[in-house]
Amino acid sequence: KWANSIDWYAWRARSGDLNPEDPENLRNGVLPTPDMANSQLIRLFRQHYPDSYAAFVKTFRLREMSIRTESVYEHWVARFFAHHDWPSLDQAGVSEIGQFLEHLAVARNVAGATQRVALNALVFLFREVLGRNVDDAVHFRRAAPKRRLPTVLTQQEVQRLLAAMPDSSRPLGAL
């Protein structure tokens, strides 16, 4: 009943004004072209591997996966190929994946979660798009977990801190 109160014609007419790269507009079945890319890296990826890029996007969309995940995975795949100076797909394999992931951990000092996203993107590309199983064969140095030590003040530090607070805030700070 509520749907009848919406002017769907006007809504649909306005939706045509969206940027073609906008996630809300990408499900229309048209593949973004290289010149539509927001970054030079993505543009180069689309130019170097047009067939693999088309298969990559089609695989995502046929599975109705998140457009945000597609965008993030495309970014990591592009970074992987750029890191290895745009090799042919036959030359890219397990050892290159390991080198790239180790580069992220050692030289780029990324968090473990970031390294896992990059790994997931590359496994998706090689297994689901290119049909090459790389699950168990990839060996690399994992990003070091970030240690978070709690900050604990000594009794003297707490007393100095409370003494420095204005009288109106001191009772709240003492809690």
Side-chain angles (χ1 to χ4, degrees):
K1 310 272 185 214
W2 61 267
N4 294 335
S5 64
I6 296 175
D7 183 0
W8 292 107
Y9 180 77
W11 180 84
R12 187 169 185 197
R14 284 193 303 270
S15 70
D17 295 338
L18 293 174
N19 175 346
E21 280 284 304
D22 191 303
E24 298 300 322
N25 204 27
L26 276 176
R27 296 284 178 196
N28 62 7
V30 176
L31 293 178
T33 60
D35 58 312
M36 293 167 58
N38 292 332
S39 77
Q40 178 67 20
L41 191 64
I42 300 296
R43 191 174 297 116
L44 287 171
F45 169 59
R46 292 176 184 175
Q47 288 171 349
H48 278 85
Y49 309 100
D51 295 337
S52 297
Y53 168 69
F56 175 80
V57 172
K58 287 177 185 174
T59 303
F60 255 93
R61 298 194 184 167
L62 286 172
R63 293 171 185 226
E64 298 182 6
M65 296 174 74
S66 165
I67 197 72
R68 297 288 184 200
T69 304
E70 178 184 322
S71 175
V72 169
Y73 278 24
E74 181 181 18
H75 167 80
W76 282 111
V77 168
R79 285 185 65 174
F80 167 76
F81 284 116
H83 176 75
H84 290 292
D85 201 26
W86 310 103
S88 73
L89 290 175
D90 295 335
Q91 291 175 333
V94 174
S95 63
E96 285 76 18
I97 293 173
Q99 290 169 6
F100 177 67
L101 295 172
E102 195 160 314
H103 163 76
L104 292 177
V106 176
R108 305 288 298 169
N109 196 29
V110 301
T114 303
Q115 191 183 37
R116 280 190 298 278
V117 171
L119 172 63
N120 290 341
L122 296 172
V123 167
F124 179 84
L125 172 74
F126 281 87
R127 184 180 59 206
E128 304 300 329
V129 179
L130 302 176
R132 294 166 43 191
N133 190 6
V134 295
D135 291 343
D136 299 326
V138 178
H139 300 289
F140 58 95
R141 185 183 311 178
R142 303 250 177 210
K146 307 289 187 221
R147 293 192 161 213
R148 295 186 182 177
L149 298 176
T151 302
V152 180
L153 300 176
T154 65
Q155 287 184 347
Q156 293 80 16
E157 290 172 329
V158 171
Q159 289 174 352
R160 284 198 322 256
L161 182 64
L162 291 174
M165 293 178 81
D167 291 339
S168 61
S169 301
R170 194 171 299 139
L172 183 62
L175 292 175

